[in-house]
Amino acid sequence: MTTPQTPRTARTARAIGAAAVASALAVGALAATAGAANAAPVAAHSAAHPVAHTVPAWARKHAAHPIPFTAATVTENSDGSYTISWAATGLAGVTVYAGATQDHIYYRHAVARGRGTDSVTVPASAIPARAASKDRQWFRLVPSQGEGLTLADRSLHLASAPNFRDAGGYRTADGSWVKMGLIYRSGDISKLSAADLAELQRLDIHTVYDLRTDAERSSSPDQVPAGATDTQENILGAASTAGFTPTTPAAATQEMIQAEVTMVDAPSAQTGYHNVLTGIADRQDLAVVYHCTAGKDRTGWASAVLLTALGVPESTVESDYLASNTYNAASNAATLAQLPPAYAAVYQPLLTVTPAYLASGFNEVTAQYGTFANYLNKGLGIDSKTLHELRSELLVG
């Protein structure tokens, strides 16, 4: 499809959609300036892909992991209730407790009980008052045998930052779990309300890593919770959006695919992701958040790298990456509804993420470094000490 290019329609589309697609345009521009040297065909990212995890030596030591859960999630419902689901084998049952923090300090009265694999809904009235007094509601799943697991709803439910969510709560290939309440990911946080900022302060947000460009920061400065340090890690460097004007959905899709490749290769991206990972390793028990404008491309690759380094399986990493489509759905729909249909079709690939986008990044890792471990070490400069610190800090069990 070729987009009509009448002057009036073009001006209207640019005026309405410019702010909403700024992040995608910036990322695409970096791909456009990368040159043919970095271009590579994007193969299907399958379970047989060389990046897919085998259990490393450090993980094999803990083959008999004490946490029996193979899956578990917490979801806050619109009526204030919570749905807690889990899966495990060989358990007589699971008891669920509600708590005010993620620490292992819980109340004597259980709020639910279930089978080894089950799903329960806890009404708001069943949660003890003290447990419901904090901004996030935590639940402790205590199995009939083995170590328990502490979880919360991944979303912070911030109206002004819908893609602000916990980066943890995922199971690794060896049965460990990434702790929640320590690392957060988000889109633009320039419009946080006073209540949102107060909530983030209570969550002990210590450092904010802003992955945006200078122009993005100038037009929408971060709102940072009191006591937190705002650190810029400009993933795109000096890239300009000039000349990035796709006229078909296919062209827009290809730009985004190439952009993911460039986030692996660009020196500014390698420096930025190095600093984020080493900063997380040195966070000293305080929470951090990394973000860009939409929270899906630069932030999406940051999470993909972190989770993969921790040993989270490829399929789970992809699910976390694609979840931005769900969290950004309302804002994306509102933006596209204001555009002429032809322009909406072109902009839609810029506002969302697809498996092909993420696959292109992992394929580039394999093409340039052979293995993900080599990418961490040679591309991002993450040494074994930092990797050990990340795993020790962020994995439970």
Side-chain angles (χ1 to χ4, degrees):
M1 181 196 76
T2 301
T3 305
Q5 293 292 322
T6 62
R8 180 178 179 180
T9 304
R11 286 196 300 271
T12 301
R14 285 196 296 270
I16 293 176
V21 300
S23 176
L25 291 175
V27 174
L30 181 62
T33 58
N38 288 333
V42 180
H45 196 44
S46 68
H49 196 282
V51 173
H53 269 285
T54 56
V55 179
W58 66 269
R60 289 197 294 270
K61 296 179 182 178
H62 306 285
H65 201 279
I67 297 178
F69 300 104
T70 57
T73 58
V74 171
T75 303
E76 182 179 359
N77 303 311
S78 59
D79 63 356
S81 65
Y82 289 83
T83 297
I84 303 103
S85 303
W86 64 86
T89 57
L91 294 182
V94 175
T95 304
V96 180
Y97 296 85
T101 72
Q102 64 266 50
D103 297 327
H104 295 186
I105 302 172
Y106 295 89
Y107 304 96
R108 294 182 179 180
H109 301 290
V111 294
R113 290 185 174 86
R115 296 162 295 183
T117 295
D118 214 338
S119 181
V120 299
T121 296
V122 180
S125 60
I127 299 173
R130 283 189 61 203
S133 64
K134 298 293 184 179
D135 294 296
R136 295 188 78 185
Q137 179 59 61
W138 293 88
F139 294 93
R140 177 77 172 172
L141 280 61
V142 179
S144 55
Q145 59 184 27
E147 184 178 339
L149 180 64
T150 306
L151 297 173
D153 186 338
R154 187 164 285 111
S155 175
L156 272 291
H157 298 283
L158 303 181
S160 55
N163 204 10
F164 197 116
R165 50 188 163 115
D166 202 305
Y170 294 115
R171 187 176 185 267
T172 66
D174 78 312
S176 301
W177 282 78
V178 183
K179 296 177 185 177
M180 299 190 78
L182 301 178
I183 311 298
Y184 297 95
R185 53 173 294 174
S186 182
D188 178 25
I189 59 172
S190 67
K191 301 176 181 64
L192 294 179
S193 66
D196 291 340
L197 286 169
E199 178 176 347
L200 298 187
Q201 185 177 5
R202 289 190 291 272
L203 294 177
D204 293 328
I205 300 293
H206 174 262
T207 304
V208 174
Y209 292 103
D210 187 346
L211 309 183
R212 301 176 301 163
T213 63
D214 292 341
E216 289 172 292
R217 282 171 61 91
S218 296
S219 63
S220 302
D222 276 349
Q223 294 290 314
V224 179
T229 301
D230 191 24
T231 302
Q232 184 185 24
E233 298 296 346
N234 183 353
I235 297 301
L236 302 187
S240 168
T241 60
F244 180 61
T245 55
T247 58
T248 67
T253 296
Q254 189 55 45
E255 292 286 4
M256 299 307 292
I257 286 174
Q258 184 59 36
E260 201 78 22
V261 171
T262 311
M263 280 190 281
V264 174
D265 296 331
S268 58
Q270 293 177 350
T271 297
Y273 291 129
H274 166 88
N275 292 341
V276 170
L277 290 179
T278 55
I280 290 173
D282 295 336
R283 63 182 182 79
Q284 300 179 339
D285 296 326
L286 295 171
V288 306
V289 57
Y290 46 83
H291 81 94
C292 54
T293 294
K296 66 184 183 71
D297 300 308
R298 289 162 287 185
T299 296
W301 184 247
S303 276
V305 170
L306 175 62
L307 294 177
T308 303
L310 293 175
V312 174
E314 176 184 329
S315 60
T316 306
V317 172
E318 183 182 88
S319 294
D320 177 73
Y321 179 81
L322 295 177
S324 285
N325 291 337
T326 299
Y327 291 107
N328 287 336
S331 60
N332 287 348
T335 297
L336 294 174
Q338 298 179 68
L339 295 172
Y343 280 92
V346 174
Y347 282 133
Q348 193 274 339
L350 307 180
L351 296 177
T352 58
V353 288
T354 71
Y357 297 176
L358 181 63
S360 65
F362 279 120
N363 287 333
E364 183 68 5
V365 165
T366 300
Q368 297 299 326
Y369 299 96
T371 66
F372 187 82
N374 284 342
Y375 166 64
L376 285 177
N377 182 251
K378 298 177 181 179
L380 301 186
I382 303 300
D383 58 23
S384 58
K385 179 177 181 293
T386 301
L387 196 56
H388 175 75
E389 289 174 347
L390 284 170
R391 292 166 175 166
S392 297
E393 289 279 337
L394 299 181
L395 296 180
V396 64

